[in-house]
Amino acid sequence: MCDLNFSGLHEECGVFGIYDKTGATDMISATYSALYALQHRGQESCGMALNVDGVISGHRDLGLVNEVFTPTVLAGLPQGAKMATGHVRYATSGSRVRANAQPMVVRHCKGSMALCHNGNLVNAPALRHDLEMNGAIFHGSSDTEVISYVLTTNRLKAPSIEAAVSLTMEQIKGAYSLVIMSPTKLLAARDPNGFRPLCIGELPDGSGWAFASESCALDAVGATFVRDVKPGEIVVADRNGLRSLEDHCGTAPHTICVFEYVYFARPDSVLEGTCVHEARKQAGRFLAQEHPVEADVVIGAPDSGLDAALGYAEESGIPYGVGFIKNKYIGRTFIQGSQKQRESSVRLKLNVIASTVRGKRVVLVDDSVVRGTTSTRTIKLLRDAGAKEVHYRISAPPFTHPCYFGTDIPDQKLLVATGRTVEQINEIIGADTLGYLSVEHVQQLAIHSHCGFCTGCFTGKYPIPEPAQLMEDPFSVPLSQTNKSKSL
Ligand code: SF4
């Protein structure tokens, strides 16, 4: 129930890019729509960059898409672009300051560039240190700025922007799905492990191309899904069409973040050939096989537990019910208020349909337990509404380790599962029984995806070595003073 709680997980970013050689697409409107579709991947800042005849400009700021792109801001953006990029961000690397908002626009004698990044690098601190020792000056604290510096440096010696991206990929390590806009080209690049998703769409009538973190953003702009960007691939769209550079493909095992299927991605998106909704249903089916229980109704924790609950009900034969109604109109300001407000906002944000659960043995399916505080409150809500028993089923294994690839998992000592058995966790959250999906099954839920998965936060085994050091944040302030910490 990550999205409801104040101890939850967050995805770092969503990226988007679009190129229409005919100029028929309204780039501002298309990018706005795509960012809206990707809003679930980041709510702290957003931005778009527009390319009008090779001149790149745009707007970025802290806030949701509709807060940043007000009618006045939209009206002030340059018209006539044939190319654009957009970004939504949740800060995991680098703090919540405007300097870290993206797209990051770089102006250089070799040409301007706008860069959008999803993921975290494991060697950003070392790269940043080297760059600083050679005179680089950074404005923000994100590893995206490191990538843009390395890329710009490589642009000096490379014959083309795509060659510079390829050189950059030899230096940067970790998770990155990139969309880069030069004066004449739009590029998409994905790290050799393919940690974060990135896909290609074709605009109507073959007029151009779009790149997006998730296929739901392609749908939002009327583009037809073509395929995923391959891990390690660089895709270039320009007036000559679409071409692919595969120098870095196959240099690492394909290990997409399995939590994209469990929680991050929108259910209507298709990642690596598997519809996220179907993957979540499959997780529910596996859960029913692993942790059966006699019960009267199966309900899901909104939103990402709903699909898994359907799968559990299907497999177990226990009727599916709607147990919660989520109020979608509670603003972040309220959530970020005092502790008392935060606690009462759980009730305001989530209410039980008592007739579904009263006097019944309830199976509650959820996507994850992070600190356990929200789970405790949610189970109590069900009991207060008259549920006779609450059997808590989680469509992922227990979180026990940090993520270095773009997911904001709290410190290990704050994770309720660290150092505890399932029984001990259940003593804290107060369900009648508790069951997690196994690591074995979480790797099988994307039934059509012929790739491997990162399961590092569940197993402590990472596809690439952990970072030697983490990025120091010059903007960091005591946790109690940040909006992020207030929402935890
Ligand atoms: S460590 Fe966990 S959250 Fe991070 S990429 Fe791997 S599976 Fe995803």
Side-chain angles (χ1 to χ4, degrees), residues 36-282:
Y36 233 113
L38 294 172
Q39 185 77 83
H40 60 287
R41 295 185 73 86
Q43 294 101 44
E44 291 198 345
S45 67
C46 62
M48 72 170 84
L50 297 147
N51 181 336
V52 182
D53 299 327
V55 178
I56 296 174
S57 61
H59 182 77
R60 58 181 182 153
D61 210 338
L62 300 175
L64 298 170
V65 175
N66 66 343
E67 293 168 346
V68 170
F69 291 102
T70 61
T72 311
V73 168
L74 288 170
L77 293 172
Q79 300 294 317
K82 287 185 179 172
M83 224 187 281
T85 57
H87 192 269
V88 290
R89 178 170 196 266
Y90 178 87
T92 60
S93 163
S95 44
R96 187 181 184 269
V97 293
R98 192 174 174 278
N100 288 334
Q102 299 182 35
M104 201 151 275
V105 176
V106 175
R107 303 193 195 286
H108 194 266
C109 62
K110 286 289 235 175
S112 301
M113 173 184 78
L115 181 92
C116 301
H117 171 216
N118 175 206
N120 270 13
L121 301 186
V122 292
N123 66 337
L127 288 170
R128 182 173 172 135
H129 179 261
D130 289 350
L131 289 163
E132 285 181 329
M133 294 311 283
N134 281 300
I137 297 167
F138 287 84
H139 296 285
S141 55
S142 74
D143 47 3
T144 310
E145 198 174 356
V146 174
I147 298 175
S148 63
Y149 233 113
V150 175
L151 180 52
T152 305
T153 309
N154 286 328
R155 186 70 187 89
L156 292 172
K157 54 192 174 202
S160 64
I161 180 81
E162 53 269 38
V165 172
S166 185
L167 283 175
T168 302
M169 287 170 70
E170 286 170 15
Q171 293 165 268
I172 59 176
K173 307 287 173 215
Y176 54 88
S177 281
L178 302 170
V179 172
I180 301 159
M181 182 169 70
S182 80
T184 56
K185 294 171 188 170
L186 186 71
L187 297 93
R190 199 170 169 205
D191 67 76
N193 290 89
F195 280 105
R196 298 292 162 204
L198 190 61
C199 59
I200 308 168
E202 185 173 7
L203 300 187
D205 303 322
S207 61
W209 308 94
F211 303 128
S213 290
E214 290 182 37
S215 60
C216 66
L218 300 179
D219 298 338
V221 301
T224 307
F225 176 85
V226 176
R227 65 172 174 85
D228 296 286
V229 175
K230 295 175 202 164
E233 187 183 22
I234 301 168
V235 183
V236 186
D238 61 13
R239 62 183 179 177
N240 299 314
L242 199 70
R243 61 188 183 281
S244 162
L245 288 80
E246 300 194 3
D247 297 355
H248 298 278
C249 292
T251 57
H254 185 178
T255 50
I256 189 170
C257 167
V258 80
F259 211 57
E260 290 280 350
Y261 292 98
V262 174
Y263 171 69
F264 291 138
R266 249 174 55 165
D268 52 334
S269 287
V270 177
L271 310 182
E272 304 294 345
T274 298
C275 169
V276 173
H277 165 73
E278 292 301 334
R280 288 183 189 161
K281 270 177 74 177
Q282 185 59 40

Side-chain angles (χ1 to χ4, degrees), residues 175 195-196 255-260 264 399 401-407 409 453-458 462-463:
F195 280 105
R196 298 292 162 204
T255 50
I256 189 170
C257 167
V258 80
F259 211 57
E260 290 280 350
F264 291 138
F399 279 118
H401 293 78
C403 173
Y404 302 105
F405 313 114
T407 301
I409 295 177
F453 301 93
C454 175
T455 58
C457 51
F458 307 123
Y462 300 97

